Every structure is written in structure tokens, then in C-alpha cells.
Amino acid sequence: MAVRKPNGEYVIDLDGEKGNAFFLLGTAQLLSKQMGFGDKVTEEMQSGDYINLIQTMNKYFPFIIFETNNDEYLEALNA
């Protein structure tokens, strides 16, 4: 799951080891179950490339802060 900081924020560093698609899908699956989304989110995440995956996750879980130095990822998250 995303790293929870002492101030309560959930943060995922997309450039680090937890930025891989498998970790993101696993986190989304856990959160989806807790929030009653079922498989909807993970199916949508898997319907495209990595950019689609992070955009979909950002859409459904806006409370997660994504950190990255990758301009393409930053642009996708702010689209």
C-alpha cells in the first residue's frame, strides 16, 4: 500500500521501487475493496499503458500524492 506519512498523507514515489505497475495495481485492489469499487478500478487501470494506469489511479484515489521527477508522468497526472 502507499506509504502513509505522519501527517496522514498517502504518498507513492513513482520513480522508486513502489512505482511499478504490480505495486500500483495491488494498492488499487486493496483500496477498491475498502471503498466498494470492486474490480472496476483495476480493470480500467489495466486497459492501457502505464500512463493510463497512473491516471486512472489518480482519478479514483485523489488522496494519494504521487511523487516523480518524470515530466511525462507529471504531465499525465496533471491532465
Side-chain angles (χ1 to χ4, degrees):
M1 182 114 143
V3 175
R4 187 169 190 178
K5 294 197 171 185
N7 63 2
E9 294 177 330
Y10 287 93
V11 178
I12 296 177
D13 179 4
L14 296 177
D15 301 332
E17 63 185 42
K18 295 186 177 178
N20 70 71
F22 295 109
F23 178 84
L24 296 176
L25 284 164
T27 299
Q29 186 174 33
L30 288 173
L31 291 171
S32 291
K33 185 175 183 179
Q34 292 173 2
M35 298 175 74
F37 291 144
D39 294 331
K40 172 183 175 179
V41 177
T42 54
E43 287 174 2
E44 187 175 333
M45 288 171 70
Q46 295 178 78
S47 69
D49 60 8
Y50 186 79
I51 296 297
N52 174 72
L53 187 138
I54 61 174
Q55 285 177 323
T56 303
M57 193 166 184
N58 192 44
K59 176 173 77 172
Y60 286 99
F61 311 114
F63 53 87
I64 295 176
I65 298 168
F66 293 96
E67 295 180 341
T68 183
N69 290 319
N70 184 307
D71 290 336
E72 184 180 9
Y73 299 165
L74 288 171
E75 186 177 319
L77 290 166
N78 292 315

